[in-house]
């Protein structure tokens, strides 16, 4: 029933920008915390950014000042704006919803070339 669909990934040169979108269906997300995680090959899945139902945000130190998480509850969507991308940002990016249960998006690839 609950589904998170991510779009907006792709290949970009270092210094470029991308915006990821995560559209939820089967649930209204306005009351829940959401987050973006990423996982590079051979590494664990790590938190990138979180946003609460009150729009309070937190970021991993590696992306702070470059990435911005936001939400539009009217569109049932969470975004991740990524600026000044670096090769170390290359990973599969996952949208996460926590309601008491955890839901994940399918993962979307972001590749940053040097």
């Amino acid at each position: 029933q609950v589904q998170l669909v991510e779009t907006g990934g792709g290949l970009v040169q270092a210094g470029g920008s991308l915006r990821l979108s995560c559209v939820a269906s089967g649930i209204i997300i306005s009351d829940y915390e959401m987050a973006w995680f990423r996982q590079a090959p051979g590494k664990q899945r790590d938190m990138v950014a979180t946003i609460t139902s009150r729009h309070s945000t937190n970021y991993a130190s590696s992306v702070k000042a470059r990435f911005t998480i936001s939400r539009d509850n009217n569109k049932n969507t969470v975004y991740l704006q990524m600026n000044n991308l670096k090769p170390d940002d290359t990973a599969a990016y996952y949208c996460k919803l926590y309601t008491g249960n955890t839901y994940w998006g399918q993962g979307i690839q972001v590749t940053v070339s040097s």
Side-chain angles (χ1 to χ4, degrees), residues 15 21-22 35 61 63 65 78 86 94 108-109:
S21 298
C22 173
S61 60
V63 308
V78 173
K86 304 177 184 298
Y94 296 86
I108 190 164
Q109 183 66 34

Side-chain angles (χ1 to χ4, degrees), residues 40-77:
K43 296 187 176 181
Q44 67 180 23
R45 187 175 298 183
D46 289 330
M47 186 274 290
V48 175
T50 63
I51 184 164
T52 70
S53 62
R54 300 290 189 182
H55 296 74
S56 177
T57 60
N58 281 292
Y59 298 91
S61 60
S62 58
V63 308
K64 193 170 184 178
R66 298 189 297 119
F67 290 12
T68 303
I69 188 171
S70 61
R71 64 194 300 160
D72 185 339
N73 290 330
N74 290 330
K75 297 181 178 179
N76 223 36
T77 300

Side-chain angles (χ1 to χ4, degrees), residues 80-103:
L80 185 68
Q81 178 67 47
M82 304 183 292
N83 296 326
N84 192 23
L85 282 160
K86 304 177 184 298
D88 283 349
D89 296 320
T90 295
Y93 283 71
Y94 296 86
C95 179
K96 178 186 175 182
L97 164 67
Y98 182 69
T99 67
N101 294 128
T102 299
Y103 302 93

